[in-house]
Amino acid sequence: MYRRLHTNRTQSHYREILSMAIIETMALKERFPNITMYGDILKQLSDIKGRVVVDNNILTEDAIYTRYSLGHIAVKNFSLKDDPYAQKLSDIFGGLFDYSAMPSGDK
């Protein structure tokens, strides 16, 4: 069962969600190669991993909205209420705004 970011708003939980979403998106892209949206999602997730998580870049609100459409994709194409994949995308997008301020959560 998926545990939403707001239940444990830490960098380690965010990274866990991001990793799960990348793996799931890769599987969806392979399973449905004609749905280009999954390639776009995977590019954004990979960019977030490199730019925000690995390189520790702090993005402005404008930069986030300009660069990433994950939140829009999740709302437009999936059910946030019932779909854990959509919830992951939504949490990843929302977490971009304060990732650097989240506690590490590492033990």
Side-chain angles (χ1 to χ4, degrees):
M1 182 169 176
Y2 174 61
R3 200 168 99 212
R4 299 290 308 259
L5 182 61
H6 71 271
T7 66
N8 180 15
R9 200 163 187 83
T10 62
Q11 289 181 354
S12 62
H13 187 54
Y14 184 89
R15 290 190 305 268
E16 180 182 319
I17 294 167
L18 182 60
S19 293
M20 288 187 299
I22 288 171
I23 291 166
E24 194 169 344
T25 304
M26 289 171 64
L28 288 166
K29 185 177 181 235
E30 185 174 312
R31 185 172 174 203
F32 304 106
N34 294 332
I35 300 177
T36 58
M37 170 183 67
Y38 293 122
D40 294 337
I41 293 170
L42 187 56
K43 285 178 188 173
Q44 289 184 51
L45 295 173
S46 297
D47 189 77
I48 290 166
K49 182 177 181 179
R51 186 174 301 271
V52 177
V53 174
V54 174
D55 294 341
N56 294 312
N57 287 316
I58 299 172
L59 304 176
T60 65
E61 188 173 312
D62 286 341
I64 291 169
Y65 281 116
T66 300
R67 190 167 192 90
Y68 304 111
S69 59
L70 288 177
H72 178 72
I73 290 171
V75 170
K76 182 179 176 192
N77 296 288
F78 305 99
S79 168
L80 281 175
K81 180 181 176 191
D82 302 319
D83 187 347
Y85 181 68
Q87 293 169 357
K88 288 177 191 119
L89 297 181
S90 177
D91 287 350
I92 291 165
F93 181 77
L96 285 169
F97 294 91
D98 64 343
Y99 176 80
S100 63
M102 291 178 196
S104 73
D106 295 327
K107 295 175 178 159

